[in-house]
Amino acid sequence: MEVLTSTSPPPRRGCNPILATQRSKLQNQRALLNQKLSKQMRLRAGAENLFNATTNPKIRETVALELSFVNSNLQLLKEELSEINASVEPYQNKSGKTVSIPMIPLGLKDTKDLEFVEVFQNYLSEHFGEDPTSYHDELADFADMRTSIRTPSRTYEGVSLLLEYYNQLYFLENRFFSPHQPLKVYFHWYDSITGVPSMQRSVSLEKASILFNIGALYSQVATRADRTRKKGVDVAIDAYQRAAGIFNYLRTNFSNAPCPDLSHSFLSALTYLMLAQAQECVLELKVLGGFEIQLGKCASIAQEAMKVSDKYSLTEKSFNVESVKTYVPYSWINMVQVKSHHYRALSHYYAALGLLDQHVAAEPVEISKLLSTLYVEVKDEGIPKPEDAAKRKEDRKRLGKSHLRQAIFHHERALQTHSLCKLMRTIDILKEYLQHAHNRSLSKFAEVDTEEDFFALVVAPNIFPFTEHDSKATPPAFGSVSSTDIFKRLGPLTVFSAHFRLGSSRSITLTDKQDSCGFTLHGNSPVTVATHDETARRLGLRNDDIVISIDDEDVKWRDHNYIADLISKKTGAPVVMKVVTVLGPVSSAPVSIFV
């Protein structure tokens, strides 16, 4: 196999695998496990074929034993991969003294080296009529870029690298991959969760996998952001929303997924997850640096927390779809459930805080208005109406204690749910957050619960989820990163692509002796022969011929005025004009591919 080296460096580079961070080490472990899984699956397929093909009892017994051994190995590898995929701690920010509550990032899909050089060289020769050796640098540049996207840095530079490669795939697909005649270039990608390999000749699999990795990188950038500072929280919100936009774009623009991590149900679940985590960051931004305890502020935070809880509830529902539930790591489902309870508890806690500890006296009318917007609808006759609670301090205390009791209930649910997952129990920081919030609510309830309170507690009314900044999926900005067509020398894509059949190039020699030879040039990039006389026809010119060079000067990207001037300046010397004929669109029997 030919090894290509480029005379110029590729536009961007991936990270150095030698300088391994915890995240890159995880990715390397994932890649090794993917290779082992692929090998074991090949062994299992071979053993199953032999088992089905033979009728010899002894051979079937031996093969059955081998199958049992291979299946056992596969199960162990899948469990090991599941533990790696469930790891969230290496992606968290630990730069400061204060550590934020853990989030769920995504690992990258892994791929194999792409063997394309020989196939592309043959295509350059057969389809475009070009000398493949003259495109050595272009082939090397693409090989370098394809290698670099396997190890992108976990920063916005890594995102830019993947976006640039994704844009490059548009040119590559149009140049070399006809939808009717697929090349023998095989794209291998591993599922990000199970490690099961997928292989297709369609560029669509490559594009979808790159987009998935862009979304995964955004999730890692967001998770790694320092959310103890406003700038870091803003970065996290933006990155999570961009990740949601990528996954939503994938879900709506790609179908017939060859692997579970590109299925509609899983991509939908990821979109909900990213939006929930973005909303969680919005809440963090709202309470960052502390706040004055007054009913209006506490009510606003309570509604924000309820919005976060609702979004995690939606995420939980999307994770409970059968095809997703049996696929994603249980630790993800567990964390989503925990956070749904945790933020519902915080919502009731902040509502109680505003009712019980308001520092600044407010008019009953103002309190009544705030309470009427805080709740969904008060139907229980035992619950004080907003206008009544506004008038009597006793009713506000009664309502506040009800919220505290509800907060304690959901905090306990969060702790119980957290204890159900072995892996989640190892994340100390999450347990500390949950325990601290629970103890705070218990302490507050003990503080306000006195023997003088003769009223009976009731179930706290439902808090209306509301936010001034609703997290939304940010559509992909493909145009934010420019990408130059590596194979631009082939000519404009409107003609020099895999969609059109080109005839053999012909050289037309024009001399002064051919004064009567006349033809008209038309258009720009490329320039075509519009009309010609009989002399020009005898020389070999035809209508709609594409002018590709004048005396070995490439003019595919020039306009007709430039070419006309170039010919006229060569008075007294023969002019060799090279042309090619477009024979028509490439067509064949349709081939079923991943679109």
Side-chain angles (χ1 to χ4, degrees), residues 109 189-194 196 198-200 202-215 246-270 323-324 327 594-595:
K109 287 174 71 69
W189 285 90
Y190 296 94
D191 187 272
S192 62
I193 302 295
T194 64
V196 174
S198 297
M199 179 189 71
Q200 288 197 0
S202 170
V203 183
S204 294
L205 175 59
E206 182 92 342
K207 290 163 69 176
S209 299
I210 291 297
L211 282 178
F212 183 94
N213 279 357
I214 292 173
I246 290 290
F247 294 130
N248 189 55
Y249 180 87
L250 254 177
R251 181 182 64 83
T252 55
N253 287 276
F254 291 84
S255 59
N256 305 323
C259 42
D261 60 1
L262 296 178
S263 66
H264 280 203
S265 54
F266 182 61
L267 291 172
S268 178
L270 290 184
S323 60
V324 178
Y327 170 68
F594 171 58
V595 176

Side-chain angles (χ1 to χ4, degrees), residues 424-489:
M424 294 299 290
R425 292 198 298 268
T426 64
I427 306 177
D428 295 335
I429 185 64
L430 179 58
K431 187 175 181 180
E432 288 175 15
Y433 262 93
L434 299 177
Q435 196 66 61
H436 170 74
H438 182 229
N439 293 339
R440 184 176 59 181
S441 293
L442 286 172
S443 299
K444 190 64 185 176
F445 190 84
E447 177 187 323
V448 299
D449 189 30
T450 62
E451 294 180 358
E452 288 77 15
D453 294 337
F454 296 105
F455 50 78
L457 292 181
V458 293
V459 176
N462 293 325
I463 296 172
F464 181 71
F466 177 77
T467 178
E468 294 176 353
H469 184 156
D470 191 13
S471 59
K472 295 184 182 298
T474 303
F478 298 120
S480 62
V481 177
S482 61
S483 184
T484 304
D485 182 5
I486 290 179
F487 293 92
K488 184 179 179 179
R489 280 202 299 131

Side-chain angles (χ1 to χ4, degrees), residues 459-523:
V459 176
N462 293 325
I463 296 172
F464 181 71
F466 177 77
T467 178
E468 294 176 353
H469 184 156
D470 191 13
S471 59
K472 295 184 182 298
T474 303
F478 298 120
S480 62
V481 177
S482 61
S483 184
T484 304
D485 182 5
I486 290 179
F487 293 92
K488 184 179 179 179
R489 280 202 299 131
L490 287 172
L493 268 176
T494 52
V495 172
F496 299 92
S497 72
H499 301 285
F500 293 98
R501 291 184 298 114
L502 303 175
S504 301
S505 59
R506 308 184 309 281
S507 296
I508 310 297
T509 303
L510 307 174
T511 64
D512 286 344
K513 296 178 181 179
Q514 298 159 344
D515 292 334
S516 61
C517 177
F519 54 90
T520 305
L521 299 179
H522 174 74

